[in-house]
Structure formats: structure tokens, C-alpha cells
């Protein structure tokens, strides 16, 4: 049996509250500025810090929460291997994208997310590929027992997360910018193709490492929802209504699939044990 970190479940609960608080702080600050824009005169000098603090907290907690969620089932060695796989593949794809424009289209990161790998990709970004890739794979496994289908579905969930993420983080807040104007709030269509392929590679590697182990955590659907809700709420508050609507529909569709198919699987398992 894999050794687990004592108090892992409690740590996940606490960090989830902090994670949710960081999202609420960001959204609450924007709402206040919309209602009373005059307060910016007072907070003006601190505005960059007020934006970066909750965002960096959010980005830092993303991989930590996911690692703790599945640590009891995966153990130390597999957890480390998955972190390395997701981060290395994610970093490689992002470095390729920011230097050549392939596979996401031409884009570059601003300085809002802090120091960058080789001056191109913020250190936070590869870890987010690890974290959300693993959560999306777990949700896909709730839907299907087929590894091949789980890889494709997990990659699809990753793309659905990005539906409002890219508009929010390039238009609402300039965390990255596109070199050319694409069809969806500046984003080129190739971006979603790049997301799908990169996610599929990461998740396929995960499936090899996790083979024979069922991972599941009750907070996974909520975690996915929060990560999707943050950008579509940002899009809504900044008037990117198409992105907000598309993000909300995409998130609802993904969670509806997971809920309905998970229930079907549970019913089958229950009837088979009677």
C-alpha cells in the first residue's frame, strides 16, 4: 500500500478554501471597481500587487491541491513522475509555441505571471498543465473504462476549460497576447488544436503511469468547475459576453457528461454486485 501524507484530506479542504478565496478576491475587486471606479485613485499604486497576489496564489495552489488530492492513491514516486511528465511536456509545448508559433499560434506572455523559463514561459504555466491534465483524466475515467476514449475525452475537457480562459487572460487581463488577430477574441483556431494535442500527449503518458490504479477524489468536479468558472466570470465582468457564454456552456456540458455517465457506471456496478 502506498504511504500517504498524514492529514492530506484536511490539507486539501483548507487549500481549497484558500484557492476559492483567491478567486473570490479577484472577482470581488473587479466588481468593486465596476461599481465605484473612483476607488482606483486610492488603490492605484497598489493595483499591480492586488492583481498579482490572488493570481499567483491561485496558480501556486493549482498543482499543490491536485498532488495532495491523489497522493494517497498514487504514492510519492508516481506523484513525482506525473508532475514531471505534465510539467515537461507542457513547458516544451509552451516554449515551442512562444518561439515558433506552433502549435498554439503566435503568442507571448507578459510579465504579469512573474519570472519565465528561458525568458518565454512563466514557471507557473507548466505546473498548470500537470494539474488540470490529471483532473481532466480522472473525470474522463469516470465516464469510460476505455483508456483510448479517456485520453480523447480528457483532452477535450482541457479544451473546454480553455474556451473562456484564453479570452479572459488575453483580453480581460493581459497575461498573454496573440501576435495576430484570430477568430475568437484574438485567439487563432490552431490554439485549440494545440491544446488538444498537448493535452492528449500528457494524458496518454499519465495513463501508462497510472495503469491498473483507479484514481478518484470527490472534490475533482468542483475543482474543475472553479477553474472554468474563474475565466468565464472574468469574461462576463469585462464584457466578453460571447466568451463568457461559451465558457459557461462548455463547463456545464463537461460536468453534465461526467455526472450522468458516472451515475450510469455506479448503477451498473451496484446491479452487478447484487
Amino acid at each position: 500500500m502506498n504511504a500517504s501524507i498524514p492529514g492530506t484530506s484536511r490539507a486539501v479542504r483548507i487549500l481549497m478554501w484558500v484557492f476559492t478565496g483567491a478567486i473570490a478576491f479577484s472577482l470581488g475587486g473587479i466588481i468593486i471597481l465596476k461599481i465605484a471606479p473612483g476607488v482606483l485613485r486610492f488603490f492605484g499604486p497598489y493595483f499591480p500587487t492586488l492583481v498579482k497576489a490572488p493570481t499567483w496564489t491561485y496558480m501556486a495552489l493549482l498543482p499543490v491541491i491536485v498532488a495532495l488530492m491523489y497522493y494517497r492513491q498514487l504514492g510519492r514516486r508516481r506523484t513525482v513522475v506525473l508532475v514531471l511528465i505534465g510539467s515537461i511536456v507542457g513547458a516544451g509545448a509552451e516554449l515551442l509555441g512562444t518561439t515558433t508559433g506552433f502549435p498554439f499560434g503566435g503568442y507571448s506572455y507578459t510579465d504579469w505571471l512573474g519570472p519565465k523559463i528561458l525568458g518565454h514561459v512563466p514557471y507557473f504555466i507548466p505546473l498548470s498543465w500537470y494539474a488540470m491534465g490529471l483532473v481532466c483524466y480522472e473525470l474522463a475515467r469516470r465516464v469510460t473504462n476505455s483508456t483510448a476514449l479517456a485520453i480523447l475525452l480528457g483532452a477535450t475537457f482541457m479544451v473546454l476549460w480553455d474556451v473562456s480562459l484564453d479570452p479572459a487572460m488575453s483580453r480581460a487581463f493581459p497575461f498573454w497576447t496573440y501576435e495576430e488577430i484570430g477568430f475568437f477574441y484574438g485567439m487563432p483556431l490552431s490554439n485549440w488544436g494545440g491544446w488538444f494535442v498537448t493535452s492528449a500527449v500528457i494524458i496518454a503518458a499519465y495513463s501508462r503511469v497510472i495503469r491498473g490504479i483507479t484514481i478518484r477524489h470527490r472534490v475533482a468536479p468542483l475543482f474543475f468547475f472553479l477553474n472554468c468558472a474563474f475565466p468565464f466570470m472574468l469574461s462576463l465582468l469585462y464584457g466578453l459576453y460571447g466568451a463568457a457564454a461559451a465558457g459557461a456552456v462548455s463547463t456545464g456540458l463537461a460536468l453534465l457528461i461526467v455526472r450522468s455517465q458516472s451515475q450510469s457506471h455506479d448503477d451498473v456496478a451496484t446491479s452487478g454486485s447484487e
Side-chain angles (χ1 to χ4, degrees):
M1 180 179 293
N2 292 322
S4 63
I5 300 175
T8 300
S9 296
R10 184 168 184 267
V12 169
R13 288 196 298 271
I14 293 172
L15 293 179
M16 279 292 291
W17 278 109
V18 178
F19 186 77
T20 305
I23 294 173
F25 183 89
S26 293
L27 296 176
I30 295 169
I31 292 171
I32 290 173
L33 286 177
K34 293 289 184 181
I35 295 174
V39 301
L40 190 59
R41 289 196 298 270
F42 177 77
F43 289 107
Y46 311 103
F47 184 74
T49 301
L50 291 173
V51 172
K52 290 180 181 179
T55 303
W56 289 21
T57 299
Y58 167 91
M59 295 296 292
L61 288 180
L62 191 65
V64 175
I65 291 174
V66 172
L68 290 175
M69 280 167 56
Y70 303 114
Y71 192 89
R72 288 185 172 180
Q73 297 159 68
L74 296 174
R76 181 184 299 108
R77 185 183 66 82
R78 285 191 179 88
T79 297
V80 171
V81 169
L82 294 178
V83 171
L84 290 175
I85 289 172
S87 299
I88 291 172
V89 175
E94 294 276 357
L95 286 169
L96 185 64
T98 51
T99 55
T100 70
F102 176 84
F104 306 105
Y107 70 106
S108 60
Y109 285 97
T110 65
D111 294 330
W112 282 88
L113 289 176
K116 303 173 186 176
I117 302 170
L118 301 178
H120 289 284
V121 180
Y123 285 94
F124 284 129
I125 296 299
L127 289 168
S128 68
W129 281 99
Y130 148 71
M132 287 301 287
L134 188 54
V135 170
C136 287
Y137 179 57
E138 193 247 279
L139 294 179
R141 274 300 196 183
R142 296 186 184 207
V143 176
T144 177
N145 292 322
S146 166
T147 298
L149 289 178
I151 292 169
L152 297 177
L153 186 59
T156 300
F157 287 164
M158 286 287 284
V159 173
L160 293 179
W161 171 44
D162 185 55
V163 166
S164 56
L165 180 66
D166 259 291
M169 299 307 176
S170 62
R171 293 295 182 92
F173 281 103
F175 289 113
W176 56 80
T177 58
Y178 286 100
E179 296 174 2
E180 299 179 3
I181 300 300
F183 84 110
F184 189 67
Y185 294 95
M187 184 198 75
L189 181 62
S190 60
N191 181 67
W192 284 339
W195 266 74
F196 185 86
V197 172
T198 303
S199 300
V201 170
I202 290 172
I203 293 172
Y206 286 174
S207 70
R208 298 288 295 176
V209 176
I210 306 175
R211 183 172 49 184
I213 300 174
T214 299
I215 61 168
R216 180 170 290 203
H217 197 287
R218 59 186 178 84
V219 84
L222 173 61
F223 190 77
F224 179 82
F225 171 76
L226 289 173
N227 279 281
C228 293
F230 190 22
F232 76 61
M233 286 299 297
L234 284 174
S235 296
L236 179 64
L237 290 172
Y238 277 90
L240 309 176
Y241 300 121
V249 170
S250 298
T251 303
L253 176 63
L255 292 175
L256 181 63
I257 292 171
V258 171
R259 181 178 177 81
S260 61
Q261 294 303 312
S262 294
Q263 186 62 49
S264 297
H265 280 208
D266 291 342
D267 290 343
V268 170
T270 301
S271 62
S273 63
E274 290 177 349

